[in-house]
Amino acid sequence: MNEQLDFLKAQITLLQGRINACSGDDDSKEYASLMRLYLAAVKEYNSLCAKEEAPDDSDPLLAFANLGE
């Protein structure tokens, strides 16, 4: 999963640079298109980060054992 996070982080950085470069231009279609890509990438990145940090409760025995905590 780290490869996916690294890839998305690189894509987000690239998109930030392109958005900043075209933010002063009059081409709002390109800006809107880049923002849609950026927001989708950030959403996916945050989702993957949350999954990586979430405890693994898929094992019923571990879930039961963690009930007392």
Side-chain angles (χ1 to χ4, degrees), residues 21-53:
C22 80
S23 65
D25 295 344
D26 293 333
D27 188 8
S28 62
K29 287 183 181 182
E30 181 182 5
Y31 180 80
S33 175
L34 290 171
M35 283 302 291
R36 279 191 293 274
L37 291 171
Y38 174 78
L39 292 174
V42 168
K43 183 178 178 181
E44 182 67 21
Y45 181 81
N46 288 336
S47 174
L48 288 174
C49 286
K51 284 181 185 177
E52 189 171 88
E53 293 175 1

Side-chain angles (χ1 to χ4, degrees), residues 9-23:
K9 192 173 185 179
Q11 291 300 315
I12 290 169
T13 303
L14 175 72
L15 286 168
Q16 286 173 340
R18 290 186 61 194
I19 289 169
N20 288 337
C22 80
S23 65

Side-chain angles (χ1 to χ4, degrees), residues 55-57 59-69:
D56 187 20
D57 289 340
D59 185 8
L61 185 57
L62 284 175
F64 179 76
N66 290 331
L67 285 178
E69 293 179 6

